[in-house]
Amino acid sequence: MSTLLWSLLFLLAVAMTVAAAQVFTVKAEESARTAKLSPFLTGVVITIFGVALPELCISIFATVVDYSSMVPTYATGANLVNLLLITGVLALLTGTLTLQKETVLKQIPLLLGSTILLLFLGFDGRIDLWEGVVLFIAFLVFAAARRQDYKEGLLEKFERIFSFVRPGTSLPLLILSFIFLLIGSFLSVRGLIEISEIQNWNPGYLASSVLALAVSVPEMLLAYRAVKKGNTDLAMGTLVASCILNTTLVLAIPSFVGPLNVLDDVVGFSLMFLLFATILFSFSAFERKWSAPSGALLILLYLVFLIQFLNPLFS
């Protein structure tokens, strides 16, 4: 198959993955409510499935097929999309993003901590099982820290803004969506690998750029929808939660399958750039505002990262 055909298959696979994850999330949340789980456990279901499920499945498949170097590059690339590109686009389109509550501010220490933890653990070029355990514990700390949010109606707000699926518990639909999720995730990884082999590229570069961008498009649209409905706090909180999950759970679970190789470019450039972007995002969050000019600057910074990181592919 040619690069064009694999590219089309890759895009279709990503679309299938994201759509199936959306359906599966809603049905899993409804099943959790039917089973009368606590609001905290139901909230964890939404947090994991609603925010990080496509990333998690793709990362697991990449590790299973011995391309674990894709996982750290994918995680860092996805976080840069959240912190720079999506935030910048939202600020540019709306004029000003303003936080009303302190929900996002409470997550900033966890965001900074998870980024620094990833930088420390990945510095030796490898994330082993015990380091994955540390990252998983960091995820549990994040989930516990959001316990109060679940008691304050976060679930209902999330449902109104982010759900496109009709309510109603359906076990067959839950199972079917999960099957399509697995198929889409596998084909996404396979397509990326095939394109990289044809072009003689390291698939980690495409994972950090093309894959991270493709999977984040629905997240960008949903965040914009939330902002237009006056829920800036929910939109930004979801982006922050996504970043924390990417640097903890999305890396932890695949490391249980096998060690994750961290490319030199990730250690030397991507992670340092991510730390810079996280600090920049944190300062804006504490000011509770992102203006249109600052949004344009964030988009420019993301383009700088993309060009610099992908430069080895074309040099």
Side-chain angles (χ1 to χ4, degrees):
M1 293 177 66
S2 65
T3 301
L4 177 60
L5 291 177
W6 275 114
S7 299
L8 293 174
L9 176 62
F10 166 75
L11 293 175
L12 289 173
V14 171
M16 179 192 298
T17 303
V18 173
Q22 171 68 23
V23 177
F24 181 81
T25 299
V26 174
K27 297 307 173 185
E29 183 268 338
E30 290 169 356
S31 299
R33 289 185 183 276
T34 302
K36 297 182 179 179
L37 297 181
S38 68
F40 173 68
L41 292 178
T42 306
V44 171
V45 168
I46 289 182
T47 301
I48 297 175
F49 293 160
V51 177
L53 188 57
E55 290 89 344
L56 184 58
C57 290
I58 289 172
S59 297
I60 292 173
F61 274 117
T63 307
V64 168
V65 297
D66 293 328
Y67 280 87
S68 65
S69 61
M70 289 173 55
V71 181
T73 56
Y74 178 42
T76 54
N79 278 15
L80 287 169
V81 170
N82 288 336
L83 298 177
L84 296 178
L85 184 61
I86 295 181
T87 303
V89 169
L90 290 177
L92 201 59
L93 291 179
T94 60
T96 301
L97 289 174
T98 305
L99 298 177
Q100 302 296 331
K101 300 180 181 180
E102 296 185 357
T103 306
V104 177
L105 301 184
K106 293 177 181 178
Q107 298 183 57
I108 294 301
L110 295 170
L111 175 64
L112 282 168
S114 64
T115 302
I116 294 172
L117 180 62
L118 175 57
L119 181 62
F120 175 75
L121 295 179
F123 193 75
D124 62 351
R126 188 182 176 95
I127 297 178
D128 294 314
L129 175 62
W130 74 269
E131 293 169 319
V133 172
V134 173
L135 291 172
F136 188 76
I137 293 173
F139 157 70
L140 294 178
V141 171
F142 164 69
R146 302 201 71 190
R147 191 183 191 95
Q148 186 61 33
D149 295 337
Y150 305 137
K151 296 178 181 179
E152 295 177 354
L154 177 66
L155 305 185
E156 289 73 16
K157 292 179 181 178
F158 193 100
E159 287 176 333
R160 288 198 301 269
I161 298 296
F162 291 90
S163 177
F164 293 103
V165 184
R166 291 183 179 181
T169 304
S170 174
L171 182 59
L173 188 56
L174 179 68
I175 297 173
L176 187 62
S177 62
F178 184 68
I179 293 173
F180 275 102
L181 173 63
L182 295 180
I183 295 173
S185 299
F186 175 78
L187 291 178
S188 297
V189 173
R190 189 74 259 167
L192 200 66
I193 292 172
E194 293 295 337
I195 294 170
S196 300
E197 289 181 350
I198 292 173
Q199 298 295 331
N200 196 27
W201 292 338
N202 188 313
Y205 290 103
L206 295 184
S208 183
S209 54
V210 177
L211 184 58
L213 281 167
V215 176
S216 297
V217 167
E219 197 168 15
M220 181 185 299
L221 296 176
L222 293 171
Y224 178 72
R225 184 184 178 201
V227 170
K228 293 298 288 184
K229 287 181 174 289
N231 265 297
T232 300
D233 292 82
L234 180 60
M236 302 308 293
T238 302
L239 293 180
V240 172
S242 176
C243 289
I244 296 173
L245 289 173
N246 286 338
T247 51
T248 56
L249 187 69
V250 172
L251 291 172
I253 300 300
S255 71
F256 299 159
V257 178
L260 307 180
N261 296 317
V262 184
L263 298 176
D264 291 339
D265 287 335
V266 175
V267 176
F269 179 69
S270 294
L271 286 177
M272 296 305 300
F273 204 95
L274 177 60
L275 179 61
F276 169 72
T278 304
I279 293 173
L280 188 64
F281 181 91
S282 301
F283 275 120
S284 297
F286 283 119
E287 291 181 355
R288 297 174 179 262
K289 185 170 67 173
W290 289 265
S291 63
S294 66
L297 176 61
L298 292 178
I299 296 173
L300 179 62
L301 286 175
Y302 178 75
L303 294 177
V304 169
F305 159 77
L306 208 58
I307 293 171
Q308 183 63 29
F309 186 72
L310 295 180
N311 185 54
L313 296 184
F314 307 104
S315 61

